Amino acid sequence: MSNILITGCKGGIALDAAKRLARNGHYIYATVHKNESISDTKAAFLPMKKNVEVFKLDILDEQDRKLIFNLPIDVLINNAAIGNSGPLLDIDIDLIKSVFETNIFSTLALTQLVMKNMLDRGKGKVLFIGSMAGLIPMPFLAPYSITKYALEGLVFAFRQEMKSLGIDVVMINPGSYRTGFNQKNMKNKYEWMNLRNYSNEFLDRITKEEKMLELTELKNTRGIAKQIVKAVQSRKSKKRYVAPLLHWLAVPIVRLFR
């Protein structure tokens, strides 16, 4: 059985996977972004609470990151992420920088810390939760999509660098799931967009793209959570795990025609 650290474990895909891994006997460090999320997250693990430790880990906070350095982590699941939305023509660059800070820079900083401990022990496994949106960047959701696109490059390079050192590096690509994450991102643009500056035609295009995304969302995260469990428990992990398969098969077709 493995000791597994999961970031951004308040809900959605990460919580589903964490519960499955805990039921399988693994010890889970389920971390959340804010202290106020701890009690609800603990409640989600009640049937298997002996296998789970829930605590705050803001990956942007260097002091929080240092707290986990001495934990005996066998598997790191980098799930914590944020997003934003709106036209690239107008969005403040600082908003995009903040998404990169969480989804790339702080994720990398945490991984470096954990990997150094893994190297001392001679083994380990690191999963990065990417997105199909990193393979098909979504219009008007670009601040999120482009960071997941960058994550593809980060994981590819990391895998090559670590493969002779006993550490597996794995990419997980979820498709669209109705966890509330997409809806939150889509609302973010209204905090900075002045709708009077845009034509009705342009705003209708945004609405159309959002509706298309919502139509593809699956209500149940079971498929991708099972893939994460498989990636963790496989003696020889694949480079990439995806779900749902239909979304994955659509990637080259959509890339060809968009």
Side-chain angles (χ1 to χ4, degrees):
M1 295 296 105
S2 299
N3 296 317
I4 303 169
L5 175 70
I6 307 179
T7 64
C9 201
K10 177 184 176 182
I13 292 168
L15 182 60
D16 189 347
K19 289 162 70 174
R20 292 171 188 273
L21 289 164
R23 283 196 293 267
N24 287 354
H26 300 284
Y27 192 86
I28 309 298
Y29 298 107
T31 72
V32 294
H33 182 218
K34 297 179 180 179
N35 282 316
E36 49 263 41
S37 301
I38 291 176
S39 59
D40 286 346
T41 306
K42 281 184 176 180
F45 288 103
L46 280 179
M48 67 289 289
K49 62 182 180 180
K50 291 182 180 179
N51 286 43
V52 181
E53 185 177 341
V54 180
F55 57 93
K56 172 184 170 288
L57 171 57
D58 179 354
I59 66 170
L60 292 159
D61 188 323
E62 184 179 2
Q63 297 307 311
D64 275 14
R65 294 197 300 264
K66 287 180 178 179
L67 290 174
I68 57 91
F69 180 69
N70 291 318
L71 295 179
I73 299 167
D74 301 305
V75 180
L76 168 63
I77 302 178
N78 283 307
N79 172 75
I82 64 170
N84 214 308
S85 60
L88 282 172
L89 177 66
D90 294 326
I91 191 169
D92 191 310
I93 293 298
D94 285 339
L95 291 176
I96 297 180
K97 285 180 179 179
S98 70
V99 183
F100 269 93
E101 187 61 46
T102 296
N103 297 2
I104 300 296
F105 305 133
S106 295
T107 293
L108 175 56
L110 180 71
T111 301
Q112 288 175 332
L113 201 65
V114 174
M115 272 192 177
K116 287 172 183 176
N117 210 341
M118 288 178 173
L119 285 172
D120 290 340
R121 300 164 65 197
K123 62 177 182 178
K125 186 178 293 189
V126 179
L127 278 60
F128 291 85
I129 308 299
S131 173
M132 296 291 185
L135 302 168
I136 311 173
M138 298 293 296
F140 309 110
L141 281 171
Y144 175 73
S145 291
I146 59 181
T147 61
K148 293 301 184 178
Y149 201 90
L151 192 66
E152 291 285 333
L154 184 152
V155 171
F156 185 91
F158 238 147
R159 185 185 301 119
Q160 304 307 308
E161 294 176 3
M162 294 293 109
K163 63 182 180 181
S164 64
L165 299 176
I167 298 178
D168 291 333
V169 179
V170 179
M171 174 62 88
I172 308 292
N173 287 107
S176 298
Y177 290 90
R178 189 173 289 274
T179 63
F181 183 80
N182 290 331
Q183 284 67 29
K184 180 179 179 181
N185 284 341
M186 288 187 288
K187 288 180 180 178
N188 284 343
K189 63 181 171 293
Y190 297 115
E191 295 178 7
W192 61 268
M193 280 181 68
N194 185 342
L195 300 184
R196 291 176 295 181
N197 293 340
Y198 301 92
S199 68
N200 289 334
E201 182 182 2
F202 191 81
L203 295 174
D204 287 345
R205 173 76 194 286
I206 294 177
T207 301
K208 180 181 177 182
E209 292 287 348
E210 292 176 349
K211 286 182 178 178
M212 286 176 61
L213 175 61
E214 290 186 326
L215 284 173
T216 67
E217 288 184 331
L218 300 182
K219 294 180 181 180
N220 194 305
T221 57
R222 177 172 56 245
I224 192 62
K226 284 184 175 180
Q227 291 299 308
I228 293 171
V229 172
K230 189 182 295 185
V232 169
Q233 297 184 166
S234 295
R235 189 165 294 179
K236 188 175 182 180
S237 298
K238 296 189 296 184
K239 296 176 182 178
R240 186 188 302 274
Y241 292 81
V242 303
L245 183 60
L246 183 62
H247 289 184
W248 173 251
L249 294 175
V251 167
I253 299 172
V254 176
R255 287 177 69 93
L256 182 63
F257 289 102
R258 292 210 83 167

